[in-house]
Amino acid sequence: CVVQRLTEKMMMMEVERHRPAGLEESSKSESRERREAEEEGEMLDQGRVLVKHIHQLPSCGDLVAGSLWDSFVTVALRTRLSSPQMLGFLASLVPLAYGCQEEQQQEGARAKARGHGDVTPEVMCSMLWSHPEFTHVMCSACDTSHDKEKKAGLVGLALAVVRQDPGALCQDSHVPLLLSAYSASLTSTDQGILYLLSLYEGNGVQMGKYKPFLWGQAALDHFNLKEEVGWFLRKRISSSKPLEVLDPSKLSKSARDFPFELEIEPAITAVDVENPECYDPRFLLPLFYHLLDPGNLVDSRMFVDVGCLSYVMASLSSFCEGVRQYGYCCLSRLWKHLESSKFIEKPQVMLLMEVLRNSVSTSNQRLPHLNTAFVSRVAELALHPERHLYLVINHFMLYKPSLDLKDIPLFMTLLHSSSPQHHQERTWLLRLLTEGLRCGDDYTVYRKRRVLPQVMSLYGTSAVDKTSQILCVTEVCMDLNTHRISFWN
């Protein structure tokens, strides 16, 4: 009944919208459209509640089928593709119209064919992907919250439709649009696009010709140019092009806020993370692994300068074995490239990687976040010998062939430094302590070295500046939060 009422109302509103109106009737028509839009929103809310309960029934297939479904889909895609509410409601109805996946797997083609009208999953997929509004919204910048909701609704609807028959609906021509719409972040929309890409790859779509992957505006420009000159006249993507697309500041932030709980395989349900604007390791780590293939020519210095090495080192603290495997394999491949590369800072980069390698005692070992945060920060300094901390840390690595995973590197040296740049050294250490305290094993090291009492003993003295005082208070808050986590774990 809800679907039928929505279909009738959308058709009536479409007729009224195209009916010529005078100046006197324009204000009345606008108020009428607002009122009808509110009524449509209320019906959509009722429909979502009903669908939520229907999905909990033992058998939920084919509750919406035949001519009613055909009319509803046709009108909704023609007139309501810009409505996030309608897109969400339509996505929730797709499993009801075409049968649950479990029923399709059990009954095969008979379950797929029954109850369908003219709008089959193939027809609905074609209607969606060929709609000009679909391409426009997917490739737009999405500056407003409404645009973001529309894009999320379109991704959810595309995912709901493709999942009905991935073997038939996953087409090679969809991949350029998906890559152009993707921004490699951890937002729910990008997680949905990444799952779609993995679904396409798992159902026979050859992704090799698109590698190394570009995404966002770079992918849009690349594929538009390929349409103009042809696939065979266009040169393949160079290994340095994806590195140029990366934002170094965003990558540095992503390394510090690395999601340790995230699994390597994309999930159909978006995973909640602390900072969704960071890069997604499920996309970046396989990308780095491909770029560092022995057959590719990679600018090793650029790889370090952009922040990729710092990001890969941060992945070694992940709780997922697959993520750590990618991290260790990327480091191994980078080492081979460094051996054949030539740039001035190469010895310092290789020294850092050797110290990290000597600190690992078992295969695929998970390293404490405190230590990976330290080496990630050191990797950012490896190409900047003009900075004061470059000399301090370089002397430390020459003196220590490996890191003590149960200690804090340079803790006493930088905390109680008497050099003329002691403010700079202490600030760098306090930032490291603040960023490195995220897990229970980090707190154990902090408690062993009595970090909190020593840091707070400096607060209020003339030895620290205003920035260091703020970092001291931040360190206390982080300590109390991690102590609560460690207590309950």
Side-chain angles (χ1 to χ4, degrees):
C1 293
V2 172
V3 173
Q4 185 174 1
R5 288 171 58 194
L6 282 171
T7 305
E8 295 173 354
K9 182 168 286 294
M10 286 189 295
M11 295 178 67
M12 290 176 58
M13 292 178 66
E14 188 69 11
V15 172
E16 292 292 335
R17 186 178 291 110
H18 290 85
R19 178 181 297 173
L23 296 176
E24 298 179 356
E25 297 180 358
S26 60
S27 59
K28 295 181 179 179
S29 62
E30 291 178 0
S31 61
R32 182 171 61 252
E33 288 181 1
R34 285 196 300 267
R35 184 174 65 255
E36 290 177 347
E38 293 176 357
E39 294 177 359
E40 179 180 313
E42 293 177 359
M43 284 191 289
L44 287 172
D45 293 336
Q46 296 174 6
R48 279 193 294 269
V49 174
L50 289 173
V51 170
K52 183 178 179 180
H53 290 289
I54 291 173
H55 275 296
Q56 298 175 356
L57 297 176
S59 178
C60 60
D62 301 331
L63 295 183
V64 182
S67 59
L68 175 59
W69 174 250
D70 294 346
S71 302
F72 178 70
V73 172
T74 303
V75 176
L77 292 182
R78 188 177 69 243
T79 65
R80 292 295 184 274
L81 205 64
S82 60
S83 171
Q85 287 182 310
M86 179 59 71
L87 292 173
F89 181 63
L90 189 58
S92 64
L93 286 178
V94 168
L96 303 183
Y98 299 118
C100 297
Q101 276 194 324
E102 291 77 6
E103 294 181 3
Q104 292 182 8
Q105 293 173 358
Q106 292 175 3
E107 302 183 23
R110 181 169 59 87
K112 287 185 179 181
R114 65 180 184 185
H116 288 179
D118 296 331
V119 182
T120 61
E122 290 80 5
V123 173
M124 187 175 181
C125 184
S126 177
M127 293 170 62
L128 181 63
W129 285 87
S130 61
H131 200 292
E133 185 70 14
F134 180 79
T135 305
H136 173 71
V137 174
M138 291 288 284
C139 297
S140 63
C142 296
D143 298 325
T144 64
S145 58
H146 182 68
D147 292 338
K148 294 179 181 179
E149 291 176 358
K150 283 196 299 183
K151 186 174 181 179
L154 287 175
V155 172
L157 179 57
L159 183 57
V161 175
V162 171
R163 287 186 67 217
Q164 299 308 308
D165 192 2
L169 301 182
C170 291
Q171 302 178 16
D172 183 82
S173 59
H174 297 169
V175 176
L177 178 57
L178 290 175
L179 290 174
S180 301
Y182 188 55
S183 59
S185 71
L186 284 166
T187 60
S188 58
T189 303
D190 279 341
Q191 290 190 50
I193 296 177
L194 182 62
Y195 181 80
L196 270 173
L197 289 171
S198 66
L199 197 64
Y200 276 61
E201 186 174 18
N203 285 274
V205 176
Q206 299 297 325
M207 308 292 283
K209 66 179 181 180
Y210 301 104
K211 292 182 179 180
F213 290 132
L214 293 178
W215 62 95
Q217 186 62 41
L220 184 61
D221 297 339
H222 176 76
F223 292 120
N224 283 342
L225 183 59
K226 277 202 169 184
E227 289 180 0
E228 294 177 3
V229 302
W231 278 88
F232 298 101
L233 298 179
R234 174 66 179 166
K235 293 182 179 180
R236 68 184 299 271
I237 302 173
S238 64
S239 299
S240 60
K241 186 62 177 179
L243 300 180
E244 297 173 1
V245 179
L246 290 168
D247 183 359
S249 60
K250 182 178 178 180
L251 191 59
S252 176
K253 178 66 175 175
S254 302
R256 295 171 187 175
D257 294 339
F258 196 94
F260 298 142
E261 304 286 346
L262 199 63
E263 296 291 334
I264 191 62
E265 294 295 333
I268 185 173
T269 304
V271 181
D272 292 331
V273 293
E274 184 177 351
N275 191 351
E277 297 301 324
C278 291
Y279 283 117
D280 194 335
R282 298 172 296 184
F283 177 77
L284 282 195
L285 291 177
L287 173 65
F288 293 161
Y289 181 78
H290 176 79
L291 291 178
L292 296 171
D293 186 89
N296 292 335
L297 184 62
V298 182
D299 188 345
S300 302
R301 191 186 188 281
M302 184 179 182
F303 189 87
V304 178
D305 190 27
V306 172
C308 301
L309 177 58
S310 300
Y311 190 82
V312 170
M313 288 178 168
S315 68
L316 303 183
S317 293
S318 173
F319 291 104
C320 175
E321 293 185 1
V323 173
R324 297 199 303 272
Q325 287 176 355
Y326 265 112
Y328 281 114
C329 289
C330 289
L331 291 176
S332 177
R333 288 189 168 188
L334 178 61
W335 182 270
K336 297 296 183 181
H337 283 280
L338 286 172
E339 289 179 338
S340 59
S341 62
K342 294 181 180 180
F343 57 95
I344 299 177
E345 304 88 353
K346 170 184 169 180
Q348 281 69 31
V349 176
M350 297 191 73
L351 174 62
L352 172 62
M353 295 182 64
E354 186 175 0
V355 170
L356 179 62
R357 181 173 59 184
N358 295 337
S359 306
V360 179
S361 57
T362 60
S363 177
N364 203 26
Q365 178 182 354
R366 180 190 175 272
L367 302 181
H369 175 58
L370 171 64
N371 300 99
T372 56
F374 174 77
V375 294
S376 295
R377 277 185 158 270
V378 173
E380 295 177 354
L381 295 172
L383 303 182
H384 299 280
E386 73 280 0
R387 298 183 183 179
H388 167 69
L389 283 165
Y390 177 90
L391 294 175
V392 177
I393 295 175
N394 200 38
H395 290 161
F396 170 77
M397 291 191 300
L398 290 171
Y399 179 73
K400 294 279 189 179
S402 63
L403 296 176
D404 185 356
L405 302 183
K406 296 183 179 180
D407 198 4
I408 303 174
L410 288 170
F411 176 59
M412 300 300 294
T413 303
L414 298 182
L415 187 65
H416 301 288
S417 174
S418 58
S419 70
Q421 292 83 11
H422 63 276
H423 285 301
Q424 181 181 353
E425 295 177 2
R426 190 176 294 112
T427 301
W428 189 88
L429 175 66
L430 290 174
R431 292 188 187 278
L432 172 64
L433 294 175
T434 303
E435 296 168 3
L437 186 59
R438 288 181 58 183
C439 306
D441 52 356
D442 300 322
Y443 178 76
T444 302
V445 177
Y446 280 48
R447 185 173 55 182
K448 174 185 174 182
R449 293 303 305 269
R450 299 181 60 81
V451 172
L452 181 59
Q454 295 197 59
V455 168
M456 290 310 299
S457 65
L458 297 175
Y459 187 84
T461 65
S462 58
V464 296
D465 55 2
K466 189 66 175 179
T467 303
S468 299
Q469 289 180 347
I470 296 174
L471 289 173
C472 288
V473 176
T474 306
E475 171 65 27
V476 174
C477 297
M478 292 290 295
D479 184 278
L480 294 176
N481 184 51
T482 308
H483 179 270
R484 183 168 63 253
I485 296 174
S486 178
F487 174 77
W488 287 109
N489 288 342

